[in-house]
Amino acid sequence: MKKHLISAADLSREDALRILDTAEELAQVSERSIKKLPTLRGRTVVNLFFEDSTRTRISFEAAAKRLSADVINFSAKGSSVSKGESLKDTALTLQAMGADAVVIRHGASGAPQNLTQWVSGSVVNAGDGTHEHPTQALLDAFTMRRRLGDLAGRRVAIVGDVLHSRVARSNVLLLHTLGAQVTLVAPPTLLPVAVDAWPCEVSYDLDAVLPKSDVVMMLRVQQERMNAAFFPSAREYSRRYGLDRDRMARIHDDAIVMHPGPMNRGMEIAAEVADSARSTIVEQVANGVTVRMAVLYLLLGGSEPAIGGTL
Amino acid sequence: MSDARNQVGAEARERAVLEEPDIQRALTRIAHEILERTKGGANILLLGIPTRGAILARRLAERIERVEGLPVPHGSLDVTMYRDDLRMRPARALGRTELPPDGVDGKTVVLVDDVLFSGRTVRAALDALNDLGRPTAVQLAILVDRGHRELPIRADYVGKNLPTSKSETVKVHVREIDGRDAVLLMKGEAE
């Protein structure tokens, strides 16, 4: 039975389109004065966050609350985890409290997958290590579709720190499912070893890729995960792979600029680019709530989940 | 061969209770009744419940416009998220909600649906409306009332009262979706 959302690869094209179409209808709820639906009344959603996060946690919380679910927020700081409790024991506690869904963010790749053994509810991956972040990919696809229409045949450039990025992997998988063509652009040191197995192209030259892209997605340089010298200096990185005003002039007129946030302004993206009309960065945050509502509704709203992977 | 036999079987099982002219007449009558009851259709808003109710709402609006010569606001109201039977089936796709820009506040809302059966869809629609604003009054127009209410709900405008047994299924076909206008009565539960 379909049950969890761990990887963007869990979603068939049909599933992905169902989520995007549902989100399209739910977008109206965010515009009205009573932003609440009774659909998940009596269901419990636990936000289990072992890593810092602003927008993802708030976004999942808002999504669950707008569907009238009860939300329990758990962050590792200030919990028994800081006394040394294991993920398994934390999971068993949640299970005993009757969580219908657990939204988990964890620093270790694969933690959500492990969690599925110990809880009976649906597990939604909100970012695990450098592995995946499927709801971010869904909200990115939703944002692209709203701006550009159907994604089949569209060209998407994902630029920057691919090596440490769960957003990049989820986006490559989902965009491939939806028929878009993805090109990863990064210095060789910031590409994962097995990148040739991903369903996308790879380039080291941003200036060559920009003119033919419909979407330019800039990734954050994840300095907190960098334990080695991946590039000589921040200035050199930003000169070769940063999106500044001159580079933006080379993108064609209808193309959009995205960033999953949080941004390093002046590093991978110039402030004037981030604040320009082509940038969808603020839209992405608003769309995040809508898309997560769609995911929670399709997982928890019916007698059984209508989307997701089998484990 | 087996296909042909199935089709014959299907035809024997389903019977058209209303044909296109009957439906046209019923809608025209309802349009006039709405005008009469709402004193010329002042401040009305026709809201159809997707998918077929929304089409019927548009047709009613066109008829009222033809009679009164005034544009009649109409739209659709999806009630999926408000249903009480969501947990009985896998989560389903949502229909479209389209409201005029000035919303439902202060309007006489006429809900429009194809079939009135248990009344649970209408209850969901009343809840949905409640979250959208505060209409002055809410009325209900229905093409076919087949009985078997499970809630204290009744229609203000009825195209046809159709006595049915609970084991039968009533299906409304409309030109825009199904290629023809008809109300079909079928033996046995729907597929």
Side-chain angles (χ1 to χ4, degrees), chain B residues 5-22:
Chain B
R5 200 183 310 146
N6 281 344
Q7 217 161 8
V8 172
E11 271 165 27
R13 276 179 51 220
E14 69 177 42
R15 181 166 62 87
V17 195
L18 297 183
E19 292 286 1
E20 180 161 349
D22 309 316

mmCIF file of all heavy atoms in Angstrom, chain B residues 5-22:
data_model
loop_
_atom_site.group_PDB
_atom_site.id
_atom_site.type_symbol
_atom_site.label_atom_id
_atom_site.label_comp_id
_atom_site.label_asym_id
_atom_site.label_seq_id
_atom_site.Cartn_x
_atom_site.Cartn_y
_atom_site.Cartn_z
ATOM 1 N N ARG B 5 -22.562 -8.121 -25.801
ATOM 2 C CA ARG B 5 -23.521 -8.649 -24.831
ATOM 3 C C ARG B 5 -23.560 -7.748 -23.579
ATOM 4 O O ARG B 5 -24.612 -7.443 -23.057
ATOM 5 C CB ARG B 5 -23.145 -10.081 -24.457
ATOM 6 C CG ARG B 5 -24.321 -10.847 -23.866
ATOM 7 C CD ARG B 5 -23.916 -12.250 -23.415
ATOM 8 N NE ARG B 5 -23.187 -12.989 -24.437
ATOM 9 C CZ ARG B 5 -22.210 -13.853 -24.157
ATOM 10 N NH1 ARG B 5 -21.831 -14.046 -22.901
ATOM 11 N NH2 ARG B 5 -21.597 -14.514 -25.109
ATOM 12 N N ASN B 6 -22.373 -7.303 -23.149
ATOM 13 C CA ASN B 6 -22.331 -6.422 -21.988
ATOM 14 C C ASN B 6 -23.136 -5.153 -22.218
ATOM 15 O O ASN B 6 -23.817 -4.656 -21.340
ATOM 16 C CB ASN B 6 -20.879 -6.029 -21.671
ATOM 17 C CG ASN B 6 -20.179 -7.155 -20.919
ATOM 18 O OD1 ASN B 6 -20.845 -8.050 -20.410
ATOM 19 N ND2 ASN B 6 -18.862 -7.104 -20.890
ATOM 20 N N GLN B 7 -23.019 -4.637 -23.454
ATOM 21 C CA GLN B 7 -23.707 -3.395 -23.751
ATOM 22 C C GLN B 7 -25.223 -3.589 -23.699
ATOM 23 O O GLN B 7 -25.941 -2.762 -23.148
ATOM 24 C CB GLN B 7 -23.297 -2.917 -25.139
ATOM 25 C CG GLN B 7 -23.182 -1.428 -25.189
ATOM 26 C CD GLN B 7 -22.350 -0.986 -26.365
ATOM 27 O OE1 GLN B 7 -21.972 -1.784 -27.228
ATOM 28 N NE2 GLN B 7 -22.072 0.277 -26.420
ATOM 29 N N VAL B 8 -25.671 -4.697 -24.265
ATOM 30 C CA VAL B 8 -27.101 -4.989 -24.222
ATOM 31 C C VAL B 8 -27.545 -5.090 -22.768
ATOM 32 O O VAL B 8 -28.546 -4.530 -22.354
ATOM 33 C CB VAL B 8 -27.411 -6.308 -24.977
ATOM 34 C CG1 VAL B 8 -28.861 -6.717 -24.757
ATOM 35 C CG2 VAL B 8 -27.127 -6.128 -26.457
ATOM 36 N N GLY B 9 -26.699 -5.779 -21.979
ATOM 37 C CA GLY B 9 -27.003 -5.920 -20.558
ATOM 38 C C GLY B 9 -27.133 -4.573 -19.887
ATOM 39 O O GLY B 9 -28.064 -4.313 -19.136
ATOM 40 N N ALA B 10 -26.171 -3.655 -20.202
ATOM 41 C CA ALA B 10 -26.173 -2.334 -19.587
ATOM 42 C C ALA B 10 -27.435 -1.562 -19.961
ATOM 43 O O ALA B 10 -28.033 -0.883 -19.138
ATOM 44 C CB ALA B 10 -24.934 -1.564 -20.005
ATOM 45 N N GLU B 11 -27.847 -1.681 -21.222
ATOM 46 C CA GLU B 11 -29.038 -0.949 -21.656
ATOM 47 C C GLU B 11 -30.296 -1.456 -20.975
ATOM 48 O O GLU B 11 -31.182 -0.691 -20.630
ATOM 49 C CB GLU B 11 -29.190 -1.046 -23.178
ATOM 50 C CG GLU B 11 -28.461 0.064 -23.898
ATOM 51 C CD GLU B 11 -28.292 -0.229 -25.369
ATOM 52 O OE1 GLU B 11 -29.124 -0.977 -25.919
ATOM 53 O OE2 GLU B 11 -27.331 0.278 -25.955
ATOM 54 N N ALA B 12 -30.327 -2.773 -20.798
ATOM 55 C CA ALA B 12 -31.498 -3.333 -20.143
ATOM 56 C C ALA B 12 -31.559 -2.872 -18.688
ATOM 57 O O ALA B 12 -32.632 -2.696 -18.135
ATOM 58 C CB ALA B 12 -31.442 -4.856 -20.219
ATOM 59 N N ARG B 13 -30.369 -2.657 -18.082
ATOM 60 C CA ARG B 13 -30.335 -2.293 -16.676
ATOM 61 C C ARG B 13 -30.651 -0.822 -16.445
ATOM 62 O O ARG B 13 -31.045 -0.439 -15.369
ATOM 63 C CB ARG B 13 -28.963 -2.628 -16.083
ATOM 64 C CG ARG B 13 -28.859 -4.086 -15.649
ATOM 65 C CD ARG B 13 -27.478 -4.357 -15.083
ATOM 66 N NE ARG B 13 -27.138 -3.363 -14.075
ATOM 67 C CZ ARG B 13 -25.931 -2.805 -13.927
ATOM 68 N NH1 ARG B 13 -24.959 -3.151 -14.723
ATOM 69 N NH2 ARG B 13 -25.702 -1.930 -12.983
ATOM 70 N N GLU B 14 -30.382 0.031 -17.462
ATOM 71 C CA GLU B 14 -30.607 1.462 -17.217
ATOM 72 C C GLU B 14 -31.745 1.992 -18.103
ATOM 73 O O GLU B 14 -31.947 1.565 -19.228
ATOM 74 C CB GLU B 14 -29.324 2.256 -17.437
ATOM 75 C CG GLU B 14 -28.886 2.324 -18.881
ATOM 76 C CD GLU B 14 -27.643 3.178 -19.044
ATOM 77 O OE1 GLU B 14 -26.730 3.057 -18.219
ATOM 78 O OE2 GLU B 14 -27.600 3.963 -20.007
ATOM 79 N N ARG B 15 -32.499 2.945 -17.531
ATOM 80 C CA ARG B 15 -33.686 3.448 -18.202
ATOM 81 C C ARG B 15 -33.652 4.968 -18.076
ATOM 82 O O ARG B 15 -33.365 5.504 -17.004
ATOM 83 C CB ARG B 15 -34.921 2.887 -17.471
ATOM 84 C CG ARG B 15 -36.269 3.264 -17.999
ATOM 85 C CD ARG B 15 -37.346 2.361 -17.376
ATOM 86 N NE ARG B 15 -37.428 2.491 -15.927
ATOM 87 C CZ ARG B 15 -38.179 3.417 -15.302
ATOM 88 N NH1 ARG B 15 -38.878 4.285 -15.993
ATOM 89 N NH2 ARG B 15 -38.216 3.474 -13.969
ATOM 90 N N ALA B 16 -33.905 5.649 -19.198
ATOM 91 C CA ALA B 16 -33.929 7.111 -19.157
ATOM 92 C C ALA B 16 -35.250 7.580 -18.557
ATOM 93 O O ALA B 16 -36.324 7.237 -19.065
ATOM 94 C CB ALA B 16 -33.736 7.676 -20.554
ATOM 95 N N VAL B 17 -35.181 8.319 -17.475
ATOM 96 C CA VAL B 17 -36.389 8.823 -16.832
ATOM 97 C C VAL B 17 -36.752 10.188 -17.389
ATOM 98 O O VAL B 17 -37.911 10.522 -17.546
ATOM 99 C CB VAL B 17 -36.178 8.933 -15.315
ATOM 100 C CG1 VAL B 17 -37.498 9.102 -14.616
ATOM 101 C CG2 VAL B 17 -35.444 7.718 -14.786
ATOM 102 N N LEU B 18 -35.710 10.998 -17.656
ATOM 103 C CA LEU B 18 -35.923 12.292 -18.298
ATOM 104 C C LEU B 18 -35.033 12.371 -19.527
ATOM 105 O O LEU B 18 -33.877 11.969 -19.485
ATOM 106 C CB LEU B 18 -35.549 13.454 -17.360
ATOM 107 C CG LEU B 18 -36.327 13.652 -16.066
ATOM 108 C CD1 LEU B 18 -35.820 14.899 -15.347
ATOM 109 C CD2 LEU B 18 -37.813 13.777 -16.317
ATOM 110 N N GLU B 19 -35.575 12.891 -20.610
ATOM 111 C CA GLU B 19 -34.779 13.107 -21.810
ATOM 112 C C GLU B 19 -34.502 14.604 -21.940
ATOM 113 O O GLU B 19 -34.992 15.400 -21.142
ATOM 114 C CB GLU B 19 -35.533 12.597 -23.052
ATOM 115 C CG GLU B 19 -35.701 11.086 -23.097
ATOM 116 C CD GLU B 19 -34.411 10.324 -23.454
ATOM 117 O OE1 GLU B 19 -33.364 10.996 -23.661
ATOM 118 O OE2 GLU B 19 -34.459 9.084 -23.512
ATOM 119 N N GLU B 20 -33.760 14.957 -22.969
ATOM 120 C CA GLU B 20 -33.318 16.348 -23.088
ATOM 121 C C GLU B 20 -34.457 17.382 -22.982
ATOM 122 O O GLU B 20 -34.331 18.334 -22.201
ATOM 123 C CB GLU B 20 -32.552 16.534 -24.396
ATOM 124 C CG GLU B 20 -32.084 17.959 -24.554
ATOM 125 C CD GLU B 20 -30.966 18.125 -25.566
ATOM 126 O OE1 GLU B 20 -30.405 17.114 -26.004
ATOM 127 O OE2 GLU B 20 -30.665 19.282 -25.878
ATOM 128 N N PRO B 21 -35.571 17.226 -23.726
ATOM 129 C CA PRO B 21 -36.625 18.255 -23.626
ATOM 130 C C PRO B 21 -37.192 18.367 -22.210
ATOM 131 O O PRO B 21 -37.506 19.476 -21.754
ATOM 132 C CB PRO B 21 -37.703 17.757 -24.593
ATOM 133 C CG PRO B 21 -37.046 16.743 -25.449
ATOM 134 C CD PRO B 21 -35.903 16.175 -24.691
ATOM 135 N N ASP B 22 -37.304 17.221 -21.505
ATOM 136 C CA ASP B 22 -37.815 17.260 -20.130
ATOM 137 C C ASP B 22 -36.887 18.077 -19.237
ATOM 138 O O ASP B 22 -37.333 18.868 -18.394
ATOM 139 C CB ASP B 22 -37.924 15.836 -19.553
ATOM 140 C CG ASP B 22 -38.681 14.894 -20.477
ATOM 141 O OD1 ASP B 22 -39.727 15.327 -20.998
ATOM 142 O OD2 ASP B 22 -38.223 13.755 -20.683
#
